[in-house]
Amino acid sequence: FIKTSGLVNRKITKWITNKLVTFLRRSELKISRKKVLILGASYKADIDDIRESPTIKIIKQLKNAGYDAEYSDPYVKEINIDGKIKKSITLNDKCFKKYSVVLIATDHSIFDYKMIARKSKYLFDARNSKSRYFKKENYFKVWSKFYIFLLILIIKKVKFAKRIKFNYINGFISNESNN
C-alpha cells in the first residue's frame, strides 16, 4: 500500500502539472506571464512538514516545462529546490498581479480564501478549498479527478492482492494458504 500511495503522489503531481501547462499554453488565453503561484508547501493543512510535499515536485515540473513558480505558505518559510532556496511570499492584494495562475496545493485554514477568489486571475484547486467563494468563470477544481484516479489505483491493487491470495482481515494481512 505504501508503494501504491507513493505512485499515486507521483502520478497526481505530474497530472496536475500537465493540466496547468496545457491551460497556460492555450492560445486563446493570451497569457503573457509564465508565472504560477502555489498556495501551500506542506503535505497537509496547518502544519510545517514538507516531507512528500507535492508543491516541491510541481515547482520542479513547471520549471522543466518553462514556467516559473513561487509559493506561499505561512507554516513553511523556505524550501530547497535543487539546491536553491525559495522563500515563501506573503499574500496580499498586490501579489496576485504577478501570476497567471494560482494553484491551491495545501488548504491551510489561515488562507484568506475570499481574497484569493477575488484576486486570482485563474484558480486551480487541488484540495476542494472553500469553493463557495470562487467564481465559476476562473475556477477549476482538480481534486475530484484525483480521488477517482486514487480509487482506480486502490481497486487495481486490491484485485492484484486477491490474485496472489492475500486477504485483509480485521486489520491484519494474512496469506490464505496459512489459514
Side-chain angles (χ1 to χ4, degrees), residues 167-174 176 179:
N167 285 326
Y168 183 78
I169 302 168
N170 298 327
F172 297 97
I173 296 175
S174 63
E176 282 185 349
N179 292 337

Side-chain angles (χ1 to χ4, degrees), residues 9-149:
N9 288 341
R10 286 189 299 280
K11 295 268 188 198
I12 291 305
T13 55
K14 186 71 175 159
W15 185 82
I16 290 170
T17 304
N18 287 340
K19 290 288 179 193
L20 286 171
V21 169
T22 301
F23 180 80
L24 288 165
R25 289 183 177 157
R26 287 175 40 194
S27 60
E28 69 269 13
L29 291 177
K30 296 180 180 137
I31 293 175
S32 59
R33 293 189 186 107
K34 290 186 166 194
K35 290 187 109 175
V36 175
L37 174 61
I38 302 174
L39 302 182
S42 60
Y43 81 95
K44 71 177 188 176
D46 301 331
I47 64 168
D48 64 355
D49 190 344
I50 59 170
R51 289 176 296 157
E52 299 299 320
S53 168
T55 297
I56 293 171
K57 295 171 185 126
I58 292 170
I59 288 173
K60 288 178 182 181
Q61 292 167 358
L62 285 170
K63 183 180 177 187
N64 289 338
Y67 294 91
D68 184 31
E70 296 188 26
Y71 81 99
S72 178
D73 191 312
Y75 299 96
V76 180
K77 299 302 177 198
E78 59 184 38
I79 56 176
N80 185 325
I81 305 289
D82 296 330
K84 293 184 180 180
I85 300 297
K86 276 196 176 275
K87 294 190 182 270
S88 176
I89 65 160
T90 303
L91 293 183
N92 57 46
D93 284 346
K94 295 178 184 177
C95 78
F96 288 94
K97 292 178 183 175
K98 297 181 205 173
Y99 305 98
S100 303
V101 172
V102 175
L103 167 67
I104 300 172
T106 309
D107 54 342
H108 292 307
S109 60
I110 197 167
F111 283 144
D112 182 349
Y113 290 100
K114 288 181 183 177
M115 178 185 64
I116 293 165
R118 208 175 52 250
K119 297 296 180 176
S120 298
K121 185 172 182 179
Y122 295 103
L123 182 61
F124 278 71
D125 185 0
R127 303 303 275 190
N128 194 29
S129 313
K130 316 286 189 241
S131 59
R132 67 183 176 273
Y133 298 126
F134 304 139
K135 302 172 278 186
K136 288 183 181 175
E137 61 271 11
N138 74 335
Y139 175 65
F140 304 92
K141 193 184 291 189
V142 294
W143 71 271
S144 58
K145 290 182 181 175
F146 163 76
Y147 287 109
I148 291 168
F149 179 75

